[in-house]
């Protein structure tokens, strides 16, 4: 089973030789400069590993309450000796609800310039909230060209791991393979652009949830 993965970092599935992973990163992340007075906030949130890697204040947040959107982001924080709180489901909506449930009064989140507005909509009228966009992504035209070749019915499964990936690839998706979405925001973007397509939604909203679906498909 050939699986096309749109993800900035390579995906490897060990112990399943029947699943061939094709990694095509169509976006290249890069850090951008920012400024923030962290002393004005009691807590901080990260919604991706890139946001952590592009945070020049990472050593200053160790005394703050820290939230992360999911296990992969939490694992990246642990490399810096920082433990974080994660929601039960790994998306912006559940992250926002978790932050509110912890009684946080002020929070700054580090995000991509192309981040969706879900977290902001949940928090901005309930707590003191500010978003810092410390990285951006640029479309890799060569990788997109390569992806189009695979999307022309040359794979069995396509995995979409972000809303922006769903938006960019939606014109080239076909019905000749199964499409897996990492979560509801990504699915919503795809349904908006391509209501004709059927989508398999990950239940865990992370890479582990996607792998569980792939294992199930492989055993059918």
């Amino acid at each position: 089973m050939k699986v096309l993965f749109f993800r900035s970092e390579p995906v490897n599935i060990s112990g399943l030789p029947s699943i061939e992973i094709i990694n095509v990163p169509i976006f290249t992340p890069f850090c951008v400069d920012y400024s923030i007075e962290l002393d004005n906030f009691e807590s901080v949130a990260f919604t991706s590993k890139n946001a952590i890697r592009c945070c020049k204040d990472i050593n200053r947040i160790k005394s703050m309450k820290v939230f992360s959107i999911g296990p992969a982001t939490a694992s990246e924080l642990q490399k810096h000796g920082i433990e974080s709180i994660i929601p039960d489901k790994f998306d912006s909506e559940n992250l926002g609800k978790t932050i509110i449930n912890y009684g946080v009064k002020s929070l700054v989140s580090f995000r991509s310039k192309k981040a969706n507005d879900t977290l902001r909509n949940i928090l901005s009228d309930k707590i003191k909230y500010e978003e810092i966009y410390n990285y951006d992504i640029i479309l890799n035209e060569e990788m997109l060209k390569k992806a189009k070749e695979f999307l022309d019915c040359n794979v069995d499964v396509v995995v979409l791991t972000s809303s922006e990936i769903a938006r960019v690839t939606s014109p080239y998706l076909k019905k000749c393979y199964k499409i897996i979405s990492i979560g509801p925001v990504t699915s919503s973007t795809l349904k908006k652009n391509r209501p004709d397509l059927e989508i398999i939604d990950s239940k865990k909203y992370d890479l582990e949830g996607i792998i569980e679906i792939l294992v199930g498909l492989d055993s059918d």
Side-chain angles (χ1 to χ4, degrees):
M1 181 171 69
K2 290 186 177 181
V3 181
L4 177 61
F5 244 102
F6 289 104
R7 197 165 181 262
S8 57
E9 296 183 4
V11 176
N12 294 302
I13 301 180
S14 59
L16 293 169
S18 60
I19 299 179
E20 178 186 351
I21 300 295
I22 303 166
N23 293 288
V24 182
I26 60 171
F27 286 110
T28 302
F30 61 96
C31 300
V32 297
D33 195 23
Y34 68 90
S35 62
I36 180 67
E37 292 293 335
L38 285 177
D39 293 340
N40 295 332
F41 298 90
E42 64 178 276
S43 56
V44 59
F46 293 93
T47 57
S48 71
K49 292 197 288 187
N50 285 322
I52 298 167
R53 293 165 181 168
C54 292
C55 180
K56 62 186 179 183
D57 297 298
I58 196 71
N59 290 324
R60 294 180 57 202
I61 70 170
K62 293 184 177 181
S63 61
M64 302 171 71
K65 188 182 294 295
V66 182
F67 296 86
S68 56
I69 198 166
T73 307
S75 178
E76 187 71 19
L77 284 167
Q78 288 174 339
K79 295 177 182 179
H80 300 274
I82 300 171
E83 296 297 325
S84 60
I85 300 162
I86 64 175
D88 293 332
K89 291 187 176 181
F90 314 133
D91 65 352
S92 296
E93 180 179 358
N94 285 281
L95 176 60
K97 291 177 179 177
T98 299
I99 291 167
I100 292 171
N101 289 338
Y102 268 81
V104 168
K105 303 298 182 184
S106 60
L107 179 139
V108 57
S109 65
F110 290 89
R111 313 198 67 191
S112 163
K113 280 191 171 184
K114 293 181 174 62
N116 65 68
D117 58 3
T118 302
L119 192 60
R120 182 170 60 252
N121 290 342
I122 292 173
L123 297 178
S124 59
D125 62 344
K126 295 180 178 66
I127 66 173
K128 179 182 177 182
Y129 177 68
E130 185 171 346
E131 290 190 345
I132 297 298
Y133 308 111
N134 66 338
Y135 79 98
D136 201 355
I137 55 177
I138 185 170
L139 182 64
N140 186 320
E141 296 289 350
E142 284 299 314
M143 285 291 112
L144 181 59
K145 182 179 179 180
K146 179 179 179 181
K148 290 178 184 178
E149 296 176 2
F150 287 114
L151 291 176
D152 193 21
C153 298
N154 290 316
V155 291
D156 302 298
V157 181
V158 173
V159 179
L160 306 177
T161 58
S162 76
S163 179
E164 189 67 10
I165 288 172
R167 184 189 67 80
V168 170
T169 61
S170 61
Y172 316 110
L173 296 174
K174 301 181 184 297
K175 298 180 180 180
C176 50
Y177 37 71
K178 297 184 184 300
I179 300 171
I180 301 175
S181 165
I182 197 168
V185 176
T186 300
S187 296
S188 177
T189 299
L190 185 55
K191 289 174 183 176
K192 181 179 179 181
N193 289 278
R194 291 293 303 277
D196 59 308
L197 295 175
E198 292 187 7
I199 309 168
I200 302 173
D201 292 297
S202 170
K203 303 303 180 184
K204 293 185 177 179
Y205 309 166
D206 66 351
L207 182 59
E208 181 182 344
I210 291 172
I211 292 175
E212 287 180 0
I213 294 173
L214 292 175
V215 171
L217 291 174
D218 188 51
S219 62
D220 288 345

